[in-house]
Amino acid sequence: MPFTPRSEHELIALDDDALVAHLRDAQAAGDRGQAALALQVLIAGHWDNVKRRVAMRVAREDVDAVASDVIFSAVRNAGGFEGGSVGELQSWLRTITARRIADYHRRAAAEPALVALATAGGGDGDEPGGGVELADRSQEGAVEVRDVVDRVLAGMSELHARAVELHVLAALPAAEVAARLGLGADNVAQIASRFRRRLRTALEGSEAP
Amino acid sequence: MSTSDVQRLLAEFVAEDRGEVPAEPRRYLEQVEGRDREELAALIDAYLQRAPRRRVAPAAMSREARDASDRVERSLFGDAGAWPLLLPRLRERAHLPRRVLVDQLAERLGVDGQQRRVADWYHRMETGLIDPDGVADRVLEALAALLGTSARRLREASRAIAPLRAPLDAAAYARTAAPDAELAQTARPGGAEPGEGTGADDAAAARVDALFTGGRDAQP
């Protein structure tokens, strides 16, 4: 099927995976302008979220570099540039952000003066290619804390985890979450309370801040 | 502070973040300490992980986001792998303005007097408009020494992306890539393309060109 260019407005309206697929199709069709526009829309929309995640754990002067590397690696992987399937950008962003922050602190310990860029198959993670960084070790223990929410959620049922995501993490009212998931509002509040207790316990079991 | 305070701060953060301007985590984290701060940071991080893409136009990007976008674009679509991401980053960390880097690179390569030509080739490295296999090991060794890394890492970075298709020509790329403010200051060497010798400088220019196009073992 011939490649169909889209307006900027149309690209902004696409979801992530459709946007990545368009980027990939544009590049395959040799339409550099469309590929670049799709990439810019992706980065414009994700930059602040990635940067803020990175900024909570990485020295200020290195935030932009790590965030750029995250975006680059995520687009490469979600775009199938490494030979895999196309899609799941959000998932790649989540995974790679956590990994790059961990890499940043780990490599600082090994090579404090060196900015390293891992190559295909050579990084600490299992996604192909990518990887920066350097840093001080002051946040090394805290990096592990980042996974604690996911660990606690993984210990809950899928329905309860979804309730936490909507009520606690997305701050939706308990009544709205209850209606959406077919639960009672009181039940949603109890689930949230249980999650918070477990999160506290998990944090207390992790390295002291 | 208590769990309810942490939850209140998270709710306030989320509410602010749903406005036009992204909320700043540090402003909220500064309101709590110790384990409360860790809990709030973990929750904000979990929220940001799940936050959908902002539906904003590229024109609304901050300068930092624009710079990142340009570099990712050059790395993703150019011919030099991750050099457009890595080289400017290393140069910035080394606090080396590009003009200074180029002067020192020319000196290390033994091609004093050819700074403008070296600048143009280096510009192509930073913008992904060069075949990395044409760049001599000697160039990467000199660059690595100046940038505080290794030639091996620079070589590996140039191969960080498997090509999807035949490389697009430089002119086509130049039409689509947004200009980098610093790179835009680069003067072209006498209006000549690299690879095109000019009069009495032909021999010297050819030596420089060989270093950037003649393959890994090229010598000046």
Side-chain angles (χ1 to χ4, degrees):
Chain A
M1 201 166 77
F3 173 73
T4 306
R6 293 176 182 265
S7 69
E8 180 178 289
H9 181 74
E10 289 173 322
L11 292 179
I12 291 171
L14 293 178
D15 67 29
D16 276 353
D17 288 346
L19 195 49
V20 169
H22 185 81
L23 186 161
R24 174 77 185 215
D25 292 346
Q27 191 181 24
D31 191 335
R32 178 63 62 85
Q34 276 283 300
L37 182 58
L39 179 66
Q40 289 164 12
V41 169
L42 273 175
I43 293 176
H46 282 294
W47 177 257
D48 284 318
N49 288 347
V50 170
K51 180 173 177 175
R52 285 181 295 171
R53 286 191 68 200
V54 171
M56 285 195 288
R57 302 296 182 190
V58 164
R60 187 188 302 268
E61 63 270 24
D62 297 317
V63 169
D64 287 344
V66 176
S68 300
D69 188 64
V70 167
I71 297 268
F72 174 62
S73 298
V75 171
R76 282 170 59 196
N77 284 283
F81 288 72
E82 299 290 346
S85 58
V86 176
E88 301 189 0
L89 178 71
Q90 187 86 353
S91 176
W92 281 113
L93 283 171
R94 287 174 63 175
T95 303
I96 292 173
T97 302
R99 193 169 291 155
R100 289 290 171 271
I101 291 168
D103 288 348
Y104 173 94
H105 294 284
R106 193 158 39 237
R107 287 179 178 155
E111 300 176 284
L114 192 64
V115 174
L117 188 136
T119 56
D124 293 319
D126 57 11
E127 92 277 8
V132 206
E133 271 314 301
L134 56 75
D136 66 80
R137 301 188 63 178
S138 61
Q139 299 291 326
E140 190 168 14
V143 169
E144 302 305 321
V145 174
R146 303 176 66 83
D147 298 325
V148 74
V149 172
D150 283 342
R151 287 205 308 271
V152 173
L153 288 175
M156 305 176 80
S157 72
E158 193 173 326
L159 182 64
H160 287 191
R162 187 67 187 136
V164 169
E165 288 186 322
L166 293 173
H167 180 49
V168 179
L169 301 181
L172 293 180
E176 182 179 336
V177 175
R180 192 183 291 192
L181 299 181
L183 297 166
D186 288 349
N187 197 5
V188 169
Q190 287 170 1
I191 292 165
S193 178
R194 196 177 310 134
F195 164 76
R196 291 180 195 120
R197 282 199 306 274
R198 290 181 182 181
L199 180 60
R200 278 265 159 179
T201 301
L203 284 167
E204 285 160 7
S206 65
E207 196 170 318
Chain B
M1 282 288 174
S2 66
T3 295
S4 62
D5 294 314
V6 170
Q7 185 59 33
R8 174 183 55 79
L9 287 169
L10 175 66
E12 290 175 4
F13 175 85
V14 172
E16 181 186 347
D17 198 54
R18 288 184 175 146
E20 285 191 15
V21 180
E24 173 49 58
R26 287 187 192 276
R27 200 161 63 78
Y28 291 85
L29 294 173
E30 285 169 359
Q31 298 181 49
V32 284
E33 296 179 341
R35 191 65 71 198
D36 287 332
R37 180 177 292 189
E38 280 305 319
E39 182 179 351
L40 182 59
L43 289 167
I44 288 175
D45 183 68
Y47 160 77
L48 291 174
Q49 283 184 42
R50 292 160 175 79
R53 187 180 92 237
R54 287 178 173 267
R55 304 296 172 122
V56 295
M61 280 194 281
S62 64
R63 184 183 59 78
E64 292 80 9
R66 169 70 61 186
D67 287 348
S69 178
D70 290 346
R71 291 173 183 182
V72 170
E73 187 178 325
R74 289 168 178 147
S75 289
L76 209 54
F77 303 145
D79 297 324
W83 279 354
L85 266 177
L86 182 65
L87 291 174
R89 182 185 313 164
L90 292 174
R91 185 165 54 75
E92 288 157 8
R93 285 201 65 80
H95 302 293
L96 276 175
R98 208 155 67 90
R99 191 177 305 277
V100 174
L101 174 71
V102 164
D103 285 349
Q104 294 183 8
L105 180 60
E107 184 180 342
R108 283 175 179 264
L109 293 175
V111 291
D112 273 347
Q114 289 293 317
Q115 280 86 349
R116 294 182 71 186
R117 204 164 193 88
V118 171
D120 196 65
W121 281 117
Y122 181 74
H123 168 85
R124 288 174 177 247
M125 293 177 74
E126 281 204 359
T127 50
L129 296 174
I130 194 169
D131 174 6
D133 289 336
V135 180
D137 287 343
R138 181 176 170 146
V139 171
L140 298 191
E141 286 160 7
L143 262 181
L146 292 168
L147 296 174
T149 186
S150 69
R152 181 181 65 82
R153 288 185 190 279
L154 293 180
R155 184 68 73 187
E156 288 172 349
S158 76
R159 296 178 180 140
I161 300 195
L164 269 181
R165 42 70 192 143
L168 292 185
D169 64 273
Y173 183 67
R175 285 194 299 272
T176 58
D180 178 304
E182 186 180 9
L183 296 178
Q185 296 171 3
T186 303
R188 297 197 65 77
E193 285 286 322
E196 296 172 0
T198 54
D201 289 336
D202 272 0
R207 284 167 47 214
V208 175
D209 293 346
L211 282 168
F212 289 88
T213 63
R216 297 185 58 165
D217 298 327
Q219 296 288 331

